[in-house]
Amino acid sequence: GRPGITLRECSIAIVGATGAIGRAMALLLAPFVRRLYLIGNPASSSASMTRMIQIGEEIVAGRHDLSQTFAFAKGPLQSQIELLGRAESLRDRVLALEQSGALVLTSDWSEGLPHADVIVTATNSPDAAIRPDQPAQGAIICDISRPSNVSRDMATQRPDVFVYDGGVVQLPQGSELGMHTDLEKGLCYACMAETMLIALEDSLTLASLG
C-alpha cells in the first residue's frame, strides 16, 4: 500500500455495502476517512441505492459512531457531517454529502474502485471479481467475501496491490478445530470465531445477525 498514508487521508470503497458485513464496515470506518464509496449490487441497482441511502442516514445520524472507541483522528467526512448540523433531514444531509463528493453511493464498480486507497469486499456473489485493471496504484484490498471477490490474476498482474484475507482468524496457541475445512491448520473463518467467542463468554446478549 501507499507508505505513510493515514486513515483520515484514505478514500475507502466497500463492495457489497448493502449486506450486513458491508453495512457494519461502513458504519465502523465512516468517522475516520476522507471519502467513502458505498458500492451496491449492479444486478439490483435500484434496491441497492435505497439501502445505501438508509446506511448513509445511519452514518450522518451517528447512532453507531465508534470514534470514541478507537484512537484514530476524526476524518474529513465526519467533519463535514458535523458542519451540516441537524437542521435538515437525514436524507438531505446524505444528499449534501453526496454533492460534496465525501460520500459516493453507486452500483458501478468502475466509479469507486480506481479512486480508493482501500477496498473492502463483502459480497456473497460467486461471479463478481475485482479485475487487475480496476484498483488504484498501491491499493490495499481486504477480501472478506466467500468466495473471494478478487481475480486470481491480481497477484501476477498487479504486484503493487496488497490483498489480504479479512475473513480468516488465527486460533490461539496452535489450536485446531478437529474438523476439516479448506483452511490451513490453526485457522478458522471469522464467523466461526465469533460464534466460539460468544459461547466462551456465555452471554446470550452478544448474538448478532447470524
Side-chain angles (χ1 to χ4, degrees):
R2 296 173 177 83
I5 192 171
T6 62
L7 190 57
R8 73 181 312 274
E9 298 172 285
C10 281
S11 292
I12 295 186
I14 300 177
V15 180
T18 57
I21 295 174
R23 169 184 169 274
M25 294 302 296
L27 297 175
L28 175 67
L29 292 168
F32 310 112
V33 303
R34 178 171 65 92
R35 177 177 293 117
L36 187 63
Y37 293 89
L38 302 185
I39 304 178
N41 185 354
S44 56
S45 57
S46 178
S48 284
M49 184 58 68
T50 299
R51 181 68 179 124
M52 286 188 290
I53 290 172
Q54 292 171 347
I55 295 170
E57 290 176 347
E58 289 186 85
I59 290 171
V60 299
R63 299 190 191 102
H64 309 279
D65 184 0
L66 298 175
S67 59
Q68 303 302 315
T69 306
F70 300 98
F72 298 122
K74 179 170 39 179
L77 172 59
Q78 182 64 26
S79 296
Q80 288 197 43
I81 290 173
E82 293 174 2
L83 285 173
L84 290 172
R86 299 188 178 274
E88 304 296 333
S89 68
L90 291 177
R91 181 67 56 91
D92 287 340
R93 280 183 267 168
V94 171
L95 293 176
L97 288 176
E98 282 194 275
Q99 290 172 357
S100 73
L103 180 65
V104 180
L105 312 180
T106 181
S107 294
D108 183 358
W109 289 31
S110 64
E111 185 175 353
L113 299 187
H115 307 291
D117 304 293
V118 178
I119 299 168
V120 179
T121 71
T123 85
N124 58 7
S125 171
D127 303 317
I130 300 174
R131 303 188 311 268
D133 64 301
Q134 291 179 307
Q137 182 73 25
I140 297 172
I141 302 177
C142 174
D143 187 17
I144 304 175
S145 302
R146 285 293 178 272
S148 172
N149 282 149
V150 180
S151 167
R152 293 182 179 181
D153 297 327
M154 191 70 72
T156 56
Q157 296 186 24
R158 291 294 305 274
D160 61 294
V161 174
F162 180 71
V163 181
Y164 72 96
D165 195 333
V168 174
V169 174
Q170 184 173 4
L171 295 166
Q173 300 177 353
S175 303
E176 295 184 19
L177 292 177
M179 56 182 283
H180 174 74
T181 70
D182 58 353
L183 300 174
E184 296 179 11
K185 288 184 177 180
L187 301 177
C188 72
Y189 291 115
C191 56
M192 300 167 67
E194 178 188 24
T195 303
M196 287 186 276
L197 288 171
I198 290 173
L200 290 169
E201 286 290 336
D202 193 26
S203 173
L204 298 178
T205 63
L206 294 174
S208 61
L209 194 64

Coordinates of all heavy atoms in Angstrom, one line a residue, residues 16 24 30-32 38 42 45 48 50 54 70 98 103-104 144 153-154 166 184-185 208:
G16 N -20.3 -4.4 -1.9 CA -21.2 -5.2 -1.1 C -21.7 -4.4 0.1 O -22.0 -5.0 1.2
A24 N -21.8 -2.9 8.3 CA -21.0 -2.8 9.5 C -19.7 -2.1 9.3 O -19.2 -1.2 10.0 CB -20.8 -4.1 10.2
A30 N -16.6 5.1 8.7 CA -17.1 6.5 8.3 C -16.5 7.6 9.1 O -16.1 8.6 8.6 CB -18.6 6.5 8.3
P31 N -16.4 7.5 10.5 CA -15.9 8.6 11.2 C -14.4 9.0 11.0 O -14.0 10.1 11.4 CB -16.1 8.2 12.7 CG -17.1 7.1 12.6 CD -16.8 6.4 11.3
F32 N -13.7 8.1 10.3 CA -12.2 8.3 10.3 C -11.6 8.6 8.9 O -10.4 8.8 8.8 CB -11.5 7.0 10.8 CG -12.1 6.5 12.1 CD1 -12.8 5.4 12.2 CD2 -11.9 7.3 13.3 CE1 -13.3 4.9 13.5 CE2 -12.5 6.9 14.5 CZ -13.2 5.7 14.6
L38 N -19.7 3.7 -1.2 CA -20.6 2.5 -0.9 C -21.0 1.9 -2.3 O -21.7 2.6 -3.1 CB -21.8 2.9 -0.1 CG -21.6 3.5 1.3 CD1 -22.9 3.8 2.0 CD2 -20.6 2.7 2.1
P42 N -24.9 -4.4 -8.8 CA -25.3 -3.8 -10.1 C -26.5 -4.6 -10.7 O -27.2 -4.0 -11.5 CB -24.0 -4.0 -10.9 CG -23.2 -5.1 -10.3 CD -23.5 -4.9 -8.8
S45 N -29.7 -2.5 -8.9 CA -29.2 -1.2 -8.6 C -30.2 -0.3 -7.8 O -29.8 0.5 -6.9 CB -28.6 -0.5 -9.8 OG -29.7 -0.4 -10.8
S48 N -30.5 -1.5 -4.3 CA -29.2 -1.2 -3.6 C -29.1 0.2 -3.3 O -28.7 0.6 -2.2 CB -28.0 -1.6 -4.5 OG -27.8 -3.0 -4.6
T50 N -31.5 2.4 -2.6 CA -32.4 2.6 -1.5 C -31.7 2.2 -0.2 O -31.8 2.9 0.8 CB -33.7 1.9 -1.6 OG1 -34.4 2.3 -2.8 CG2 -34.6 2.1 -0.4
Q54 N -30.2 4.5 3.1 CA -30.5 4.2 4.5 C -29.2 4.1 5.4 O -29.2 4.6 6.5 CB -31.3 2.9 4.6 CG -32.7 3.0 4.0 CD -33.4 1.7 3.9 OE1 -32.8 0.6 4.1 NE2 -34.7 1.7 3.7
F70 N -12.0 4.0 19.3 CA -10.7 3.7 18.6 C -9.9 5.0 18.6 O -10.4 6.1 18.4 CB -10.9 3.2 17.2 CG -11.7 1.9 17.1 CD1 -13.1 1.9 16.9 CD2 -11.1 0.7 17.4 CE1 -13.8 0.7 16.8 CE2 -11.8 -0.4 17.3 CZ -13.1 -0.5 17.0
E98 N -23.2 13.6 -0.6 CA -23.0 13.2 -2.0 C -22.6 14.3 -2.9 O -21.7 14.1 -3.7 CB -24.3 12.5 -2.5 CG -24.6 11.2 -2.0 CD -25.7 10.5 -2.8 OE1 -26.9 10.7 -2.5 OE2 -25.4 9.8 -3.8
L103 N -19.2 11.4 0.2 CA -19.9 10.1 0.3 C -20.4 9.8 -1.2 O -21.1 10.6 -1.8 CB -21.1 10.1 1.2 CG -21.9 8.9 1.4 CD1 -21.1 7.7 2.0 CD2 -23.2 9.2 2.2
V104 N -20.0 8.6 -1.7 CA -20.4 8.2 -3.0 C -21.2 6.9 -2.9 O -20.8 5.9 -2.4 CB -19.2 8.0 -3.9 CG1 -19.6 7.6 -5.4 CG2 -18.4 9.3 -4.0
I144 N -13.1 -10.0 2.4 CA -13.9 -10.7 3.3 C -14.8 -11.7 2.7 O -15.3 -12.7 3.3 CB -14.7 -9.7 4.2 CG1 -13.8 -8.7 4.9 CG2 -15.5 -10.5 5.3 CD1 -14.5 -7.6 5.7
D153 N -5.8 -13.3 -11.1 CA -4.7 -12.7 -11.9 C -4.1 -11.5 -11.1 O -3.1 -10.9 -11.6 CB -5.1 -12.3 -13.3 CG -5.6 -13.4 -14.1 OD1 -5.0 -14.5 -14.0 OD2 -6.5 -13.2 -14.9
M154 N -4.7 -11.1 -10.0 CA -4.3 -9.9 -9.3 C -2.8 -10.0 -8.9 O -2.0 -9.1 -9.0 CB -5.2 -9.6 -8.1 CG -5.0 -8.2 -7.5 SD -5.6 -6.9 -8.5 CE -7.3 -7.1 -8.4
G166 N -9.5 -11.0 4.9 CA -10.1 -10.4 6.1 C -11.1 -11.3 6.8 O -11.6 -10.9 7.8
E184 N -5.8 -23.8 6.3 CA -4.7 -24.5 6.9 C -5.0 -24.7 8.4 O -5.9 -24.0 9.0 CB -3.4 -23.6 6.8 CG -3.0 -23.4 5.3 CD -1.7 -22.5 5.3 OE1 -1.1 -22.2 6.3 OE2 -1.4 -22.1 4.2
K185 N -4.3 -25.6 9.0 CA -4.4 -25.9 10.4 C -4.2 -24.6 11.2 O -3.3 -23.9 10.9 CB -3.5 -27.0 10.9 CG -3.9 -28.4 10.3 CD -3.0 -29.5 10.9 CE -3.4 -30.8 10.4 NZ -2.5 -31.9 11.0
S208 N -25.4 -11.8 17.2 CA -25.5 -10.8 16.2 C -26.5 -11.3 15.1 O -27.2 -12.2 15.3 CB -24.2 -10.4 15.6 OG -23.5 -11.5 15.0

